[in-house]
Each structure stands twice: as C-alpha cells, then as structure tokens.
Amino acid sequence: MHKHLELTHVRNERKRNHDSAGIADIHEHTSLRTFLTLDRTTFENVQPTPKRQKKQHADATGIALVKLKPKKRATRASILCLPDELLLIILECLGRDVRTLCSLARTCHRIYRLCTLDLIWRPVTAGLYRPTTRRHVKCYGQAPQNDLLSFLRNLACSDYCFRCGVKATSKTELGAMGEKVLEVLSRRYCKGCQSTEFINKTDAKERFLVTEKQLGAAKYVPKPWYGKQSYLYLESTIEQLSLERWGSERALKEAKSERKPRNKTPRDFWHKFYDPFFYEYFDDHRYILPPYFGPPATSAQTNAITVHHPAANVTVSKTTDTAGVITFGNVSVNISIGAPNPTSGVSHHNHQAVVGSGSGSGPGSSSGPAGAQGYVAVNGGGAYFSLSVNVAGGW
Amino acid sequence: MSDPANITLVTMDGTTFTVPSAYLHRSKLVQDWLRSEGDKQAMEVKHVTPFVLQGVLNFCEIHAEDTSEPLADPADPTKPFEADPRDDAFRGMPDDQLLQFTMAADILQIPELVRLTAQEMASRIDGKSPDQIRAMFNPDDLAEEDVDSDNEMGEVGEEGAISK
C-alpha cells in the first residue's frame, strides 16, 4: 500500500514537523482528492482579512445586546490544546459512526480539516462493505480506495444504489419505485435491492411482531397495489423496531413460538383430491358419486375393441358380431351386419321405426335418460342389417 | 546506562515527585532521558500541573507490574480496547481533567494512557451534537474570522453528512 495511505504515517508526519507545517498542508500531502478538500490556491493567495468593524447592537435604551468581551486566554482546557496526532488518535477511536464524525467536524475549523481526511472515512466506507451482522451485507463489490467522501455523498443521494453501490444510468434503472423511495428515504435502491430490502406491512407484523403503533412512526414507501395502497418499510427499520419492543432476537423468537400460527387455508388444499384413499370414504358411506367419478364407460362385451379418433371425436367399436358403432360427440351410430341376434331378433322382425321416447334398447346403445333415438332394422331373410342412431342428451 | 532506583520529576511550578523508576518503564520520554547523557538529578516535565502528574503517576503505579507488550501504536485497530477495571477512576473524571491527562500522557509518551484517555474522549464524543461537543471540550477558542469561516464550513459539513 502507498505510504501516504496509512493513518499512522500521517500522525508521525505531523509529529515530526510539528512547528514547521501549517494545518492546511495536511490535506495536500496525505489526503487523496475529496470533494471537501480545500482548494490550495485559496489558502496560498489569501490575504489577512481586515478585522471587521464590530457592530454594536443597541436598542432604544442604549444597552448593548451583544457584549464585546475581550478574548480570554485559555480559561478552560480546550481540545485544541492537543496536537494533531492526538486528535487523529481520538478520531480513530471514534469508530464508524458517521453522525458523530460529521458533528465533530462542525465544531471547529481545525478539527474539520482533520475530520475530512480521506483516511478517517476509510473504516466508514469499509464498514458499508463488510457484513456488520450475519444477516445483512450492506454493499457488494469492492470498496472504493479513494475519493471516499464523494463516494459516500453520492451514495447518500440519488444515483447510486445505497446497498450495492450500482450507479443508475437510465431512468428505467431507477425502478418504478425509485422516485418514491428517494423522496421518502433520501437514498436510492436499485431494483434488485428493492426486492430484498423492503418488507410490506403484513410481513413486518408477522415476522417481526411489531405493533401498528410502532409502524406509525416509521418511514414507509407507499406502493399502489390493486387500487389500494401497500406500505413498504425498510427491513432494517422494522428489525430495529422489533428489537425495541422485544429486547433481543431471542425474545422475539420465543414470542413468535408462543403465538398460534395464523389460521389460513393450507397451500396443499387440493392435494386431497388427488389422493385415491380420499374417495374410499365415499364408498364406505354409500354416497352416490357423480358419474364422472365413476369408472369409464366400457361396452358390454369384454372382447370389444374401441378406436377413438380424437380430432374428429369419432369412436368406432368393433365387437365379435361385427357391429360398428360410430360416435360423433353425443350422436352414436350403431351398425351391425351379420346373423340375426337371438336376443334382439324379436324387435328387429317387426320393421319398427321408433323415434323419440327412450324405450329403445339397441345393442351397445349408450343413450342417457333424456336421449333421443332413431332405430332402423332391415331383416332380409338370413342376413341381418341394423342401423341405430342414438342422440344422447345431457347428463 | 545507569538505572537509578528513583526518578525525580519536576512539574511546571516546581513541585517534585520522586517515584521508583519501575513505574515509568512505559514512558518513552523518561526512558530516553535515562538513556541520554548528562545530569540525572531531576527531570523537568513542562506543561504538566502537579495534580495531573500525580494522576499519571497513580496510573503508572497501578500498571507497574503489567507484563504485557508495550503498545507500539496507541490507536491500533487490530487490538480491540478492553476496559480495565483498575482504570475506572480515570474514566470517571471531568472533561477538563481528561484533556489535561491526555496532554500529559502525550508529553510523557505513555501509549497505554494515551489509549485510555483517547478511548474515553471518543466514547464521550460519540453520539453528541456539535453544541454538546463544544460545551464539553471547548474547541471554540477561536479568533473571530475563524469563527465565521467555521460556520460556513459547518454548513458544508452538514450537507455532506450522511443520514445513517
């Protein structure tokens, strides 16, 4: 690593030329370019500013509102007595709290210069890239090596994803919720991170057991959802609220185990209908099953062959007595050629033509209760030809 | 190198402290002084008040028997800081004294004490607003033009601040 990039080196440098070095050049020598780095020229060419005329703010009575007290010489110990290297040690001990660093930087000019050192912000940035807890990895990829402050600033505003640091280059990459998220949380999440970082209200209540009252104070992203509005919360926020309520993760887990699971339809509701044993119940109790639960209809003869043409919905059955049954959907035509059937010979002899009324009982006819049937039989001596048309009604 | 049993320290106002030299084996300043040539009557410690020096010597007395490696770097991030129950008295002191102790520790170059006080100061600064920090450690002892530019700087810093 470069020598200048070590904070220890900065401290030693400060110690060595304590008197000669001005404060301004600490950035010059050691810091990488940051957006907060003061411009060199402004300090080199600066003239000692003339003392401003101190204004006496006086009201009508003439009493000075602002007292001009003479500058005191160190009545109290000040943090500014400490040398830079000691201040840097303190800054290093501060850790990764960004808020503290910023508020410390606002206290005075000299500390501000130290606080804006790029090296001070390195652990902060590195902390973003390292898993702080086992569950959350805040950012992916490699942490930036320089220009950390501008990186952090960009991260905080819109064009980088706060979690993964991916820069949005187009408006579509902002995602549908991008604008709203930016507005509410003042940071941006890319599409992928939005799906993992956000949690809706129902899930928040169910998984983290937070109350409605707690959620009222939390920031949320309103999301249109089927004409209604759904509330998206940051998962980390919800986790924090849950910790506030339950104290620890363990307590939350215990509380969750004590609660009854929500009464809702099991996902495998339909599975029982696929279970063959489910229907045994109906058999045992002599329920009358609707016909489609029954066995598929087969012709009376065991040695019958049925050919089905699926495209035309035509079924041709051949039996031993060479009868052909042609079925078109609800219409079936029964053709039988051969020797007279002794069982049905009586009805064939009469040259009957019966139309309507379900009295017909042709061989292999499968007419339903509301079916219509036409029946023609020609008896020519020894040979026998019969044609029957069945129109099966609905079930 | 002569190693006297006792070392006499003189503070800024002439008060003298005589302590066994084993107490100060952590102080790099004293060690350098012992190694150097010349008159070894009394060592003058400037910028340190007797009260503070007394406190520092108490610290040294407490930690005289410590056998741990002397710290090379007071802010070594690889070695996590663990609070020593013997140092509770140092942690409870008011802010002004804490600053003076930090200063004295830096002058005497005792890395353990520097670390202790820096950690303590850091923990006091942690989570405070700028005004609270100003009230605590009084960094606003500035010339007027400094104060003005300080305010401008503060605004910039506020914008750059990241809400976490």
Side-chain angles (χ1 to χ4, degrees), chain B residues 50-70:
Chain B
F51 174 77
V52 174
L53 188 61
Q54 183 64 57
V56 172
L57 290 176
N58 282 345
F59 177 87
C60 293
E61 191 178 351
I62 288 169
H63 291 271
E65 281 87 37
D66 283 7
T67 51
S68 60
E69 272 302 294

Side-chain angles (χ1 to χ4, degrees), chain A residues 298-305 319-320:
Chain A
T298 49
S299 57
Q301 281 94 353
T302 48
N303 51 357
I305 302 160
T319 58
T320 41

Side-chain angles (χ1 to χ4, degrees), chain A residues 198-359:
Chain A
F198 289 110
I199 182 170
N200 66 17
K201 203 174 197 174
T202 317
D203 280 358
K205 281 184 200 164
E206 205 169 300
R207 280 176 48 201
F208 293 101
L209 301 183
V210 287
T211 54
E212 184 83 34
K213 198 177 170 189
Q214 278 181 309
L215 288 177
K219 281 180 182 172
Y220 66 89
V221 182
K223 181 191 179 189
W225 185 73
Y226 296 124
K228 284 187 276 182
Q229 182 181 287
S230 88
Y231 296 77
L232 292 180
Y233 296 91
L234 266 185
E235 196 168 323
S236 49
T237 315
I238 297 298
E239 225 177 77
Q240 212 168 3
L241 289 178
S242 163
L243 268 183
E244 269 172 32
R245 186 172 172 204
W246 296 104
S248 70
E249 208 169 321
R250 199 192 167 116
L252 169 70
K253 227 173 226 177
E254 278 170 12
K256 255 165 108 174
S257 65
E258 276 171 20
R259 297 202 173 188
K260 273 198 290 183
R262 261 177 90 221
N263 185 19
K264 73 181 193 186
T265 315
R267 193 161 290 178
D268 55 345
F269 175 76
W270 291 103
H271 277 222
K272 64 181 174 192
F273 293 107
Y274 296 114
D275 183 9
F277 293 105
F278 174 75
Y279 298 103
E280 277 189 3
Y281 173 81
F282 297 102
D283 286 348
D284 289 350
H285 295 270
R286 311 234 177 262
Y287 275 88
I288 298 167
L289 290 176
Y292 43 82
F293 284 134
T298 49
S299 57
Q301 281 94 353
T302 48
N303 51 357
I305 302 160
T306 306
V307 180
H308 177 71
H309 193 278
N313 201 12
V314 172
T315 311
V316 176
S317 304
K318 274 285 184 193
T319 58
T320 41
D321 60 339
T322 64
V325 181
I326 303 167
T327 313
F328 302 92
N330 283 341
V331 182
S332 69
V333 180
N334 193 348
I335 310 152
S336 32
I337 305 158
N341 198 340
T343 53
S344 56
V346 184
S347 55
H348 292 319
H349 257 301
N350 297 333
H351 303 273
Q352 275 181 347
V354 183
V355 177
S357 84
S359 60

Side-chain angles (χ1 to χ4, degrees), chain A residues 6 27 33 42 100 109 136 149 175-176 198 249 278 297 311 338 348:
Chain A
E6 295 284 353
H27 272 280
R33 194 178 59 81
T42 55
T100 309
H109 211 134
H136 290 296
L149 279 181
F198 289 110
E249 208 169 321
F278 174 75
H348 292 319

Side-chain angles (χ1 to χ4, degrees), chain A residues 38-106:
Chain A
L38 303 163
D39 191 8
R40 234 186 102 183
T41 53
T42 55
F43 282 92
E44 279 184 347
N45 305 330
V46 75
Q47 298 295 319
T49 47
K51 271 234 184 276
R52 282 185 309 174
Q53 283 291 321
K54 290 178 180 173
K55 285 180 207 146
Q56 279 278 3
H57 297 281
D59 57 5
T61 54
I63 299 164
L65 291 177
V66 176
K67 270 197 284 181
L68 292 175
K69 49 186 177 186
K71 205 176 149 194
K72 290 180 207 163
R73 298 290 305 172
T75 52
R76 251 182 80 196
S78 163
I79 201 169
L80 295 178
C81 303
L82 303 179
D84 278 354
E85 65 265 17
L86 216 48
L87 288 175
L88 283 173
I89 289 174
I90 293 168
L91 285 180
E92 244 178 304
C93 292
L94 271 178
R96 298 173 185 167
D97 193 1
V98 176
R99 199 165 283 182
T100 309
L101 271 178
C102 288
S103 63
L104 193 59
R106 286 174 60 191

